[in-house]
Amino acid sequence: MEPQKDYVLRMVEERGVRLIRLWFTDVLGQLKSVAISPAELADAFDEGLQFDGSAIDGFSRVQESDVLAVPDAATFELLPWADPDEPSGRIFCDICNPDGTPFAGDPRWVLRRALAKAADRGYTFYAAPEVEFFYFSHGDPNQPLVPVDNASYFDLTTVDVASPLRKRTIGMLEAMGIPVEYSFHEDSPSQHEIDLRYTEALSMADNVMTLRLVVRKLALDRNLHATFMPKPLNGVQGSGMHTHMSLFENDVNAFYDADDRYGLSKTAKSFIAGLLVHAREITAITNQLVNSYKRLGVGDEAPTFVSWARNNRSALVRVPMVKAGKESSTRIEYRALDSAANPYLAFSAVLAAGLKGLEEGYELPAEAATDLYTTSRDEAHATGLLELPMSLSEALDELEASPLMAEVLGEHIHEWFLRNKRAEYSQYRQEVTSFELRRYLNTW
């Protein structure tokens, strides 16, 4: 890493960078930042920047509060929105204990550890999320939300007034070294999607965090509000983060087998089986908000049942079609994930579930052959299909009982996440909603 550090220090000097923003996330995936001057960067590389971890949700207790933010030189990028006369850069950090060991409350370390386990088996884990979000005219939760357009899926008309904003967002992402594969208007009013190009999962988690900031910032610049809330509007589909994934052995796609009738290797089948077996256990991580469960289980592009299929978008795990001659792009798509998930923890959870399928040699069940969006619970139960958790409380019960997730997250994050999210659900249960007032106030 020393040459990379030297390169960053040289770039900072040559470009006249005035501020470097050190980025990391708390356990829930909220981006945190502290700015340092270029004069402090070399020491930060060597020694880390000390700060009070007890002030960050899910980090240290007061009596053991000191932690270090250690910049990862490979993640340095100039911020394209900074004043040209005062250039700024950003760099993601790993969080360490004062003795330099990884800090157990750092989500980025959880993903590093999961990727290291895959590497021990000879695999590199790649991911490509489809990130959905909404634009609204304001962000005041006490006022009705107002979409900025009434366009629909793939629309390119004058009613899609946010197209220029989306175009500017893509340009800024690519200026920061984040390649975008697709971008378009999604199905709901004022809903948009940006699909990021495949890369290794740690870099992708960093990219997702950067995308969220860029989308929000550019919306604010136009006096709009962008949200990655899974279900902000009634009666229309919510925002998912369908994530395509694959394992590679060196430069070879471990999910492809030319001799299989479907082109799927034994590795791919066991990985999918692992996702299915452990799907209920990982749902609290992939769908961490009370609001997430207003999206799941109601159709509209969100899965309800633990299932897999080829090219069937109603399944939890989908195997997309591969173009002739493009077998190296064989992949699977996990469709429960939503745009509010902490990408470091979510990628760790799905990878761990898939690897467990490999370790235990799980057998892949029969694929779903029908439209599961229109399948009733009774019909699904009759065929042996399990449901995904239908509430955050149910998902937390599954997470708490999961030895696999306790191991993947580590005791620190596993215990804090459960405590934090159970408190969130308790607050939700005590809240009187506008639905209840409309339905009962003048009836009972």
Side-chain angles (χ1 to χ4, degrees):
M1 184 58 72
E2 291 301 326
Q4 186 72 46
K5 293 178 183 177
D6 292 341
Y7 170 78
V8 172
L9 292 170
R10 187 169 63 252
M11 176 182 286
V12 166
E13 181 178 3
E14 292 175 353
R15 299 292 184 92
V17 173
R18 302 292 295 274
L19 275 180
I20 297 97
R21 300 187 181 278
L22 306 185
W23 288 1
F24 58 94
T25 75
D26 65 14
V27 172
L28 300 181
Q30 292 295 316
L31 191 62
K32 305 295 179 179
S33 176
V34 58
I36 62 173
S37 69
E40 304 297 322
L41 184 56
D43 286 343
F45 277 140
D46 293 337
E47 303 170 6
L49 179 75
Q50 185 171 316
F51 69 95
D52 178 8
S54 66
I56 306 296
D57 274 349
F59 274 27
S60 308
R61 296 175 294 185
V62 172
Q63 65 269 30
E64 49 188 35
S65 60
D66 289 341
V67 291
L68 303 173
V70 181
D72 179 351
T75 67
F76 178 81
E77 291 288 346
L78 294 174
L79 294 175
W81 59 80
D83 185 337
D85 295 327
E86 294 188 347
S88 297
R90 75 95 161 100
I91 189 166
F92 279 95
C93 294
D94 295 303
I95 307 302
C96 296
N97 297 308
D99 63 1
T101 57
F103 173 57
D106 179 16
R108 204 167 188 264
W109 165 244
V110 172
L111 182 53
R112 280 194 184 277
R113 189 172 56 210
L115 294 172
K117 186 172 182 179
D120 288 343
R121 297 180 62 92
Y123 297 124
T124 303
F125 182 53
Y126 286 87
E130 302 172 349
V131 187
E132 297 174 348
F133 56 93
F134 283 83
Y135 290 122
F136 294 112
S137 63
H138 66 82
D140 184 351
N142 297 310
Q143 299 294 328
L145 293 175
V146 181
V148 299
D149 65 57
N150 290 305
S152 187
Y153 191 68
F154 267 33
D155 276 356
L156 182 59
T157 69
T158 54
V159 296
D160 179 8
V161 298
S163 287
L165 178 56
R166 201 172 64 235
K167 180 179 178 180
R168 178 164 165 71
T169 301
I170 293 167
M172 194 159 285
L173 289 171
E174 294 190 332
M176 296 184 71
I178 301 174
V180 172
E181 188 166 22
Y182 300 111
S183 164
F184 51 88
H185 197 290
E186 253 295 350
D187 188 63
S188 301
S190 214
Q191 186 185 33
H192 298 262
E193 177 173 316
I194 296 177
D195 299 352
L196 300 181
R197 188 173 300 164
Y198 252 92
T199 191
E200 182 269 338
L202 183 63
S203 295
M204 183 56 75
D206 293 341
N207 290 349
V208 169
M209 295 307 306
T210 304
L211 180 150
R212 288 178 181 170
L213 180 69
V214 170
V215 167
R216 289 193 181 105
K217 183 208 168 347
L218 293 184
L220 283 172
D221 288 347
R222 291 192 56 180
N223 295 316
L224 299 176
H225 180 77
T227 180
F228 296 88
M229 181 179 175
K231 185 75 169 178
L233 294 176
N234 293 324
V236 298
Q237 72 181 42
S239 290
M241 191 167 72
H242 306 151
T243 298
H244 297 251
M245 60 191 78
S246 58
L247 296 177
F248 272 69
E249 295 178 283
N250 297 317
D251 294 328
V252 177
N253 189 331
F255 281 0
Y256 176 65
D257 182 354
D259 295 327
D260 181 76
R261 63 183 296 194
Y262 302 132
L264 290 177
S265 67
K266 187 177 186 304
T267 297
K269 293 175 182 178
S270 293
F271 194 96
I272 296 170
L275 287 172
L276 300 181
V277 169
H278 300 286
R280 288 177 57 84
E281 302 166 38
I282 69 176
T283 300
I285 301 299
T286 59
N287 306 83
Q288 67 167 341
L289 305 184
V290 163
N291 180 256
S292 297
Y293 298 85
K294 302 293 177 70
R295 167 183 168 263
L296 287 183
V298 294
D300 291 333
E301 300 293 317
T304 301
F305 303 107
V306 178
S307 55
W308 81 278
R310 292 170 294 119
N311 205 34
N312 180 346
R313 295 179 184 275
S314 66
L316 171 63
V317 181
R318 185 176 77 97
V319 181
M321 293 180 61
V322 177
K323 295 178 182 178
K326 298 286 187 179
E327 289 78 10
S328 63
S329 65
T330 298
R331 64 201 185 279
I332 63 176
E333 178 190 12
Y334 195 76
R335 295 179 61 81
L337 253 160
D338 67 41
S339 296
N342 181 333
Y344 300 101
L345 298 185
F347 293 167
S348 300
V350 295
L351 174 58
L355 290 180
K356 190 68 172 178
L358 298 183
E359 293 168 4
E360 302 296 331
Y362 292 166
E363 292 293 326
L364 187 63
E367 69 174 301
T370 60
D371 180 359
L372 296 175
Y373 293 150
T374 60
T375 299
S376 70
R377 297 174 69 182
D378 289 342
E379 291 171 331
H381 294 165
T383 60
L385 285 179
L386 294 174
E387 286 181 286
L388 288 172
M390 289 292 101
S391 71
L392 179 60
S393 179
E394 184 181 348
L396 291 172
D397 289 343
E398 295 284 345
L399 176 67
E400 185 171 23
S402 171
L404 176 63
M405 285 298 98
E407 176 187 353
V408 171
L409 300 177
E411 181 181 358
H412 181 116
I413 289 181
H414 189 251
E415 185 274 334
W416 184 90
F417 187 92
L418 285 167
R419 179 160 37 88
N420 177 277
K421 287 299 173 179
R422 288 205 186 281
E424 177 182 335
Y425 189 74
S426 177
Q427 291 173 337
Y428 166 69
R429 289 183 63 243
Q430 297 174 53
E431 186 81 15
V432 178
T433 67
S434 59
F435 169 86
E436 293 166 282
L437 293 175
R438 289 195 307 271
R439 191 168 184 100
Y440 308 128
L441 184 64
N442 295 312
T443 305
W444 298 97

